[in-house]
Amino acid sequence: MGAYRVCGGKKISGELTIGGGKNAILPILASVILNSGVSVLHNCPRIADTFTSIEILETIGCKVAMEGNTLIIDSSGADKCEIPEKLVGKMRSSIIFMGGVLGRFRTVKISYPGGCELGLRPINYHLKALTQLGAEITDEHGFIIAKADKLRGTKINLDFPSVGATENTMLAAVFAEGETMIVNAAKEPEIADLQNFLNACGAKIKGAGTDAITIRGVPRLHGAEYTIMPDRIAAGTFLAAAAVTGGSVTLRNVMAEHLYPITSKLTETGCGIQTRPGIVSLTSPGKLRALDRLRTCPHPGFPTDMQPQMTALLCTANGTSIVEETMFESRNRHVNELMRMGADIILAESGRTAIIKGVKKLKGSTVSSKDLRGGAALILAGLAAEGTTTVTNSEHVERGYERIEHALTQLGADVVHLCSESHLGE
Ligand code: EPZ
């Protein structure tokens, strides 16, 4: 139980290099089970979800070494097909390990990931797709067991462009006989990273980034060396930090085209954006303009993972903004915490829509992170607030940001990570 102590009023300015993406590395780590060689992954973020994924890989028999931000994984000795409940409980996205384990061993046992802070998080699209590929799925005392004598390629139409279901289906289809086509596939950039890594291992996949992905079955995969794509949500978070504090920031190691849904909205608030290959810069006007409407959508729409950060930024904008969260039923738990800091927000439509009336300044307070991006949003609010803000339950934020306090301090902020309750009084 740690916390961040944020002293507000400092402008976020300077240069920062962005690390590898949390939502890029997780499916790639789930996919290394499919190859029975050694994979070397560079630009791996040292975040809690990476370490949980390493624990899962070691549990099923892979050997993993981490040197700095490089992972060396030998999956030749992988021989177990059960993913323990304690690890699934730590990271619900471990459900994306199902497809790889099923593809390699033709059987997998995993506990139901259950809901999380964002809502119910059902996995029906995942299970339906694996069934269509030939898996027989049963559940026993809270565990899902999937078995398949043979996986056969087929056409799979996802009811919704689910990121995880797209990734799980890709993994399960790599060794399936014949061709699999995923229609209405998610188009998030991380899916293209997964495709590129799998093809480097010898898979035959194309179409990632479009709504139709085809996977031609192959008999086996070998290891590969690969560099994980940069984290577009971490990049967006640091751009928002500069925007809300009236600063200016230059980010290196970014893919500007992946950031466009975010930078276009920041431009609407009055920020200046400049891009060069691998670089994006933002200059804040100081006081931001409100947004008539911000609606989260599947890529290339505005990403739900940036919604809390934008909500925090709009609390002190000129005018009233409307932010609609369409992807998750319970992704506005940061709103009450922002209101403790003096934000003027009304939640409508059973909490999915926030009507944000800009106030002059937020005031420092003790607030509590309820989830990863909500916690990041509270840190941004603290950066812009008068006085000191303590953001508790820092473990949520540590799941997705590598030492965020270090990065923000490098950009001129005064943020300290208090690693245990005992320091909170400092
Ligand atoms: C991925 O989650 C990301 N996580 C999330 O990032 C991100 O918010 C989300 O995609 C949307 O972009 C990782 O990549 C590890 P979905 P995922 O399946 O795959 C419903 C972060 O903060 N759904 O696209 O779980 C679901 O409930 C995290 O970095 C079903 O109904 O998201 C949600 O309403 C949070 N049945 C919607 O679809 C299913 O079988 C989109 O979920 C699967 C999903």
Side-chain angles (χ1 to χ4, degrees):
M1 279 286 282
Y4 297 100
R5 187 181 59 207
V6 186
C7 296
K10 309 252 189 302
K11 289 188 176 190
I12 294 298
S13 292
E15 299 200 2
L16 183 72
T17 299
I18 296 296
K22 163 180 113 56
N23 294 345
I25 190 172
L26 296 184
I28 286 175
L29 289 176
S31 77
V32 296
I33 301 157
L34 288 167
N35 81 62
S36 36
V38 176
S39 297
V40 179
L41 302 176
H42 300 292
N43 203 30
C44 300
R46 296 179 70 92
I47 55 176
D49 278 8
T50 298
F51 298 124
T52 302
S53 300
I54 290 170
E55 280 187 77
I56 292 174
L57 290 173
E58 289 172 334
T59 302
I60 59 176
C62 297
K63 289 193 179 58
V64 186
M66 190 159 200
E67 293 159 16
N69 291 95
T70 293
L71 273 170
I72 302 108
I73 306 161
D74 179 351
S75 36
S76 57
D79 57 359
K80 292 186 187 57
C81 54
E82 181 171 344
I83 296 160
E85 195 168 355
K86 71 176 170 57
L87 293 178
V88 178
K90 272 168 85 173
M91 185 181 78
R92 69 160 311 282
S93 51
S94 42
I95 193 71
I96 51 177
F97 279 81
M98 263 191 99
V101 176
L102 179 68
R104 171 109 181 235
F105 300 116
R106 297 286 186 281
T107 182
V108 58
K109 182 176 179 182
I110 182 171
S111 65
Y112 264 98
C116 72
E117 311 82 7
L118 305 182
L120 290 172
R121 305 295 289 275
I123 56 170
N124 52 321
Y125 306 150
H126 298 246
L127 301 182
K128 183 178 168 189
L130 298 183
T131 304
Q132 286 181 266
L133 285 167
E136 191 190 322
I137 294 177
T138 53
D139 64 30
E140 273 173 34
H141 318 301
F143 281 86
I144 308 163
I145 297 164
K147 286 189 168 60
D149 296 333
K150 189 183 266 297
L151 290 165
R152 287 185 185 77
T154 185
K155 190 169 185 178
I156 292 169
N157 190 343
L158 291 180
D159 295 337
F160 182 85
S162 153
V163 172
T166 301
E167 292 163 344
N168 238 336
T169 308
M170 286 165 74
L171 299 187
V174 164
F175 295 146
E177 198 176 73
E179 182 169 276
T180 298
M181 175 180 261
I182 306 172
V183 179
N184 196 24
K187 297 185 271 193
E188 273 66 7
E190 291 76 19
I191 302 212
D193 221 26
L194 177 62
Q195 169 182 285
N196 296 340
F197 171 69
L198 284 168
N199 287 345
C201 297
K204 292 193 181 327
I205 306 175
K206 57 182 194 297
T210 74
D211 58 8
I213 297 174
T214 53
I215 303 104
R216 171 157 293 288
V218 295
R220 71 188 65 74
L221 294 185
H222 49 73
E225 185 159 8
Y226 191 76
T227 298
I228 305 292
M229 78 163 41
D231 193 319
R232 60 193 170 99
I233 303 301
T237 303
F238 293 115
L239 291 175
V244 78
T245 57
S248 65
V249 72
T250 294
L251 302 181
R252 302 186 180 289
N253 187 36
V254 295
M255 297 166 95
E257 64 279 16
H258 295 165
L259 286 172
Y260 183 69
I262 301 167
T263 51
S264 60
K265 281 298 171 188
L266 288 168
T267 303
E268 282 182 41
T269 65
C271 294
I273 297 281
Q274 294 81 34
T275 60
R276 280 172 285 155
I279 294 173
V280 67
S281 300
L282 176 142
T283 305
S284 170
K287 200 67 180 165
L288 301 173
R289 289 197 295 265
L291 292 177
D292 292 342
R293 190 165 289 271
L294 178 68
R295 196 163 188 276
T296 61
C297 303
H299 193 77
F302 186 83
T304 175
D305 294 345
M306 275 297 299
Q307 178 271 101
Q309 298 91 311
M310 288 299 282
T311 297
L313 172 153
L314 293 167
C315 289
T316 52
N318 257 336
T320 298
S321 307
I322 295 180
V323 176
E324 281 181 86
E325 173 53 63
T326 69
M327 299 289 281
F328 292 106
E329 63 269 25
S330 170
R331 189 168 213 170
N332 270 324
R333 299 174 70 204
H334 48 282
V335 168
N336 276 343
E337 302 303 303
L338 290 169
M339 290 165 73
R340 288 164 57 83
M341 298 176 71
D344 181 348
I345 305 176
I346 298 169
L347 281 177
E349 289 168 23
S350 57
R352 281 194 180 239
T353 297
I355 300 155
I356 308 161
K357 190 159 170 274
V359 297
K360 194 169 174 328
K361 270 278 179 195
L362 295 179
K363 53 188 187 309
S365 175
T366 296
V367 289
S368 157
S369 303
K370 307 297 184 192
D371 56 63
L372 163 57
R373 307 301 176 184
L378 295 174
I379 292 173
L380 297 191
L383 291 173
E386 263 162 1
T388 300
T389 299
T390 300
V391 181
T392 62
N393 299 335
S394 63
E395 63 279 4
H396 286 297
V397 180
E398 292 165 65
R399 285 192 41 223
Y401 293 90
E402 185 174 340
R403 297 184 63 207
I404 194 170
E405 71 281 2
H406 179 71
L408 288 170
T409 302
Q410 197 182 311
L411 294 172
D414 179 351
V415 182
V416 174
H417 186 193
L418 308 169
C419 292
S420 70
E421 290 285 2
S422 59
H423 295 300
L424 284 185
E426 282 176 6

